[in-house]
Amino acid sequence: MQAHKGDVLRITGRAVGSPEHRATVVEVLGRNGEPPYRVRYEDGHETEIFPGPGCVTEGTAGAHPARTDAPRHTV
C-alpha cells in the first residue's frame, strides 16, 4: 500500500456490524509512501497505523482504491 499526505484511508471493521472509519494521512513515516502513517480520524484523534487488509486508500480526490492485500510489485 502507498499513501501520501492528505490521502483518506477507509478502514473497515473486523467484525460484522463494526463501523467503518475514515482517517486522513497527516504524515508518511515509511519510505516511498509505504507505512507506517500518522493519521487523523474524523473525531480529531491522531495515531500511527500500519494498515491491514481491511483498509483502502481513497486518495485526495477519490482516486481508485488500492487494497493493502494486493500483491506487491517491485521495479
Side-chain angles (χ1 to χ4, degrees):
M1 169 178 224
Q2 287 193 333
H4 302 89
K5 184 176 180 179
D7 284 355
V8 175
L9 302 181
R10 186 177 52 184
I11 305 155
T12 58
R14 292 184 283 178
V16 175
S18 295
E20 181 175 278
H21 298 283
R22 294 184 190 279
T24 302
V25 176
V26 294
E27 184 179 4
V28 177
L29 302 171
R31 293 178 42 185
N32 300 319
E34 293 188 3
Y37 306 117
R38 174 158 297 282
V39 298
R40 180 179 302 123
Y41 288 94
E42 295 169 315
D43 66 359
H45 174 77
E46 286 192 20
T47 191
E48 184 178 310
I49 65 168
F50 287 83
C55 182
V56 294
T57 180
E58 296 181 341
T60 53
H64 299 289
R67 298 219 32 116
T68 58
D69 56 355
R72 290 187 172 203
H73 300 283
T74 56
V75 178

